[in-house]
Amino acid sequence: MTIQAINVRNQFKGTIKTIIEGSVVSEVDVQTPAGIVTSVITTRSIKDLGLVVGSEVVALVKATEVSIAKI
């Protein structure tokens, strides 16, 4: 499967900057040209995908809701 075959419009190419690994879930920071995108995924997925700091990845964002707050 290629990235083009995925039904997600918001795709951000970048490099993994930080991984904060937990026992069940982990936080992954991806540096993109637009800024940092943070994902919380299972630690098992990090291992299965072979993700390490410096890996080139695509952050795929699919949201059914976007909340806005006045500042």
Side-chain angles (χ1 to χ4, degrees):
M1 179 187 316
T2 65
I3 295 300
Q4 291 80 15
I6 296 175
N7 184 22
V8 177
R9 299 277 185 229
N10 301 309
Q11 301 179 14
F12 302 93
K13 291 182 182 178
T15 304
I16 294 179
K17 182 176 180 180
T18 308
I19 297 174
I20 302 172
E21 200 169 299
S23 58
V24 178
V25 295
S26 297
E27 185 175 310
V28 180
D29 290 338
V30 178
Q31 181 68 55
T32 74
I36 293 179
V37 175
T38 301
S39 176
V40 176
I41 63 173
T42 64
T43 302
R44 180 178 181 173
S45 291
I46 288 176
K47 294 180 187 326
D48 289 349
L49 293 168
L51 300 179
V52 295
V53 171
S55 294
E56 291 185 18
V57 296
V58 177
L60 305 166
V61 180
K62 185 167 187 172
T64 57
E65 177 181 323
V66 176
S67 299
I68 297 176
K70 185 176 178 183
I71 55 173

